[in-house]
């Protein structure tokens, strides 16, 4: 990894806001690469393991933003991001929200938000004197821990080249997609596939089981066909057992992303019906109490249609 064994990496101060399922292992990756890391999370007890590993814990977002050269955002959505940042000059609704400008800070947004939201953040941060790039990732907790995430970057060429060494801490597969907004769109396209592939597999699997066909026979045929996707095997055991606990990606997050995709597709004058039908299925799973569970729980909604 570039910078990993150089004095330059040790001089760069990096903040991580949002140390949940993905943010915590990503912060550890940065520390193992030699970066100084500051962390903030709304749930402070989650920061203790990172503090023990050498991260500097901040009590407020402002404290972190003023201490670092760049901050990685790994939070739920655009609303959460906006709540963490100061308002541009002249736009504060109250004195408490008119905080210090972010001169020379670089904000690296790595969560899943809409392209239009990312572009709006780009402008907001420019008004505050900060730079911005989006770098959403594809992969889950195991890939975050091992540095095997796929990183999609939306930024100008200069910003991409400047921060490429840091982003390579998270994965060796980096794609400079284009300007801000393009990587956000690609990430939504990929997450739409997550939802749609899982829903399609859940429906086919449920029909196989209802027909009394051996599941391994079904899977053997699928695996030999051009229709196979590795995610089918990853979710098979959960769908068979009905155990959706300890998720890498909870159902509530898939619902958010499917909603963002349908909004972006509508804005592009695309037919949203296929994705919207999956979004509705995921919404039913959330309403049924699977919000915090693995998104493969949507199989329960497929099967519930057959219940009296």
């Amino acid at each position: 990894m570039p910078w990993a064994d150089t004095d330059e990496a040790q001089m760069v101060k990096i903040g991580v806001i949002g140390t949940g399922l993905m943010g915590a292992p990503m912060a550890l990756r940065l520390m193992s690469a030699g970066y100084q890391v500051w962390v903030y999370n709304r749930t402070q007890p989650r920061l203790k393991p990172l503090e023990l590993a050498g991260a500097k814990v901040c009590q407020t977002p402002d404290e972190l933003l003023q201490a670092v050269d760049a901050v990685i955002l790994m939070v739920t959505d655009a609303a959460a991001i906006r709540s963490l940042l100061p308002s541009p000059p002249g736009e504060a609704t109250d004195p408490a929200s008119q905080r210090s400008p972010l001169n020379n800070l670089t904000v690296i947004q790595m969560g899943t938000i809409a392209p239009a939201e990312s572009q709006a953040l780009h402008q907001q941060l420019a008004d505050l004197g900060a730079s911005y790039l989006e770098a959403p990732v594809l992969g889950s907790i195991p890939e975050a821990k091992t540095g095997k995430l796929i990183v999609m970057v939306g930024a100008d060429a200069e910003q991409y080249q400047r921060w490429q060494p840091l982003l390579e801490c998270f994965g060796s597969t980096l794609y400079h997609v284009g300007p801000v907004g393009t990587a956000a769109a690609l990430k939504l396209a990929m997450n739409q596939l997550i939802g749609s592939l899982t829903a399609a597999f859940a429906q086919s699997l449920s029909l196989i089981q209802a027909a009394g066909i051996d599941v391994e026979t079904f899977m053997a045929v699928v695996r030999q066909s051009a229709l196979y996707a590795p995610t089918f095997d990853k979710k098979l055991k959960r769908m068979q057992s009905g155990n959706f606990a300890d998720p890498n990606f909870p159902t509530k997050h898939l619902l958010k992303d499917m909603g963002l995709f349908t909004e972006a597709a509508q804005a592009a004058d695309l037919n949203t019906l296929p994705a919207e039908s999956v979004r509705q299925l995921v919404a039913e799973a959330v309403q049924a109490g699977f919000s915090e569970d693995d998104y493969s729980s949507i199989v329960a909604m497929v099967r519930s249609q057959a219940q009296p």
Side-chain angles (χ1 to χ4, degrees):
M1 279 175 290
W3 294 357
D5 298 316
T6 67
D7 292 337
E8 187 176 356
Q10 296 173 3
M11 292 173 62
V12 179
K13 301 176 181 178
I14 307 296
V16 178
I17 294 182
T19 57
L21 295 176
M22 295 289 285
M26 290 169 72
L28 289 171
R29 292 288 306 174
L30 291 170
M31 284 187 279
S32 69
Y35 290 97
Q36 301 178 66
V37 176
W38 279 250
V39 291
Y40 169 79
N41 196 76
R42 284 181 298 180
T43 307
Q44 289 284 309
R46 290 185 179 178
L47 296 172
K48 192 62 179 178
L50 292 174
E51 184 178 24
L52 293 173
K56 299 172 176 61
V57 171
C58 296
Q59 300 302 311
T60 66
D62 278 0
E63 180 186 347
L64 183 146
L65 294 173
Q66 297 301 321
V68 300
D69 301 304
V71 57
I72 290 170
L73 303 178
M74 201 62 175
V75 298
T76 306
D77 53 29
I81 294 172
R82 288 191 292 269
S83 72
L84 296 166
L85 300 175
S87 300
E91 292 187 15
T93 56
D94 62 78
S97 65
Q98 186 64 66
R99 291 168 276 173
S100 302
L102 305 177
N103 294 328
N104 301 318
L105 179 73
T106 297
V107 176
I108 304 173
Q109 199 298 111
M110 301 192 74
T112 305
I113 63 175
E117 291 173 329
S118 190
Q119 291 163 343
L121 283 168
H122 188 193
Q123 183 58 57
Q124 177 184 347
L125 285 158
D127 292 341
L128 290 165
S131 301
Y132 175 86
L133 62 153
E134 59 187 16
V137 298
L138 195 65
S140 195
I141 298 171
E143 291 78 18
K145 288 181 176 178
T146 56
K148 295 181 179 179
L149 294 167
I150 297 172
V151 186
M152 300 159 281
V153 186
D156 62 40
E158 181 181 355
Q159 285 283 59
Y160 174 71
Q161 291 168 7
R162 180 183 179 191
W163 296 105
Q164 181 179 353
L166 180 143
L167 295 173
E168 286 176 347
C169 293
F170 309 126
S172 59
T173 307
L174 269 66
Y175 293 95
H176 184 200
V177 185
V180 169
T182 58
L186 177 54
K187 171 61 171 170
L188 287 183
M190 298 307 297
N191 279 22
Q192 185 274 143
L193 283 175
I194 291 174
S196 293
L197 284 171
T198 304
F201 179 67
Q203 197 153 43
S204 289
L205 175 64
S206 297
L207 178 62
I208 290 299
Q209 292 173 316
I213 300 170
D214 179 64
V215 171
E216 272 310 307
T217 299
F218 164 62
M219 291 304 299
V221 173
V222 172
R223 291 181 190 119
Q224 293 182 67
S225 75
L227 307 174
Y228 177 69
T231 189
F232 297 161
D233 271 310
K234 289 182 179 180
K235 297 305 175 186
L236 177 61
K237 185 176 180 180
R238 283 187 180 273
M239 290 185 181
Q240 287 181 296
S241 68
N243 181 4
F244 309 116
D246 300 318
N248 288 336
F249 186 49
T251 308
K252 64 181 182 181
H253 289 172
L254 179 59
L255 177 59
K256 183 260 295 183
D257 294 349
M258 292 301 299
L260 290 176
F261 178 88
T262 56
E263 291 171 8
Q266 187 175 33
D269 293 325
L270 301 177
N271 188 330
T272 62
L273 180 59
E276 175 57 23
S277 65
V278 175
R279 189 202 67 78
Q280 291 176 10
L281 190 68
V282 179
E284 290 176 10
V286 168
Q287 292 167 5
F290 294 105
S291 177
E292 302 292 338
D293 292 311
D294 187 85
Y295 63 91
S296 56
S297 63
I298 61 177
V299 71
M301 300 303 98
V302 173
R303 294 168 180 163
S304 71
Q305 303 304 312
Q307 302 302 315

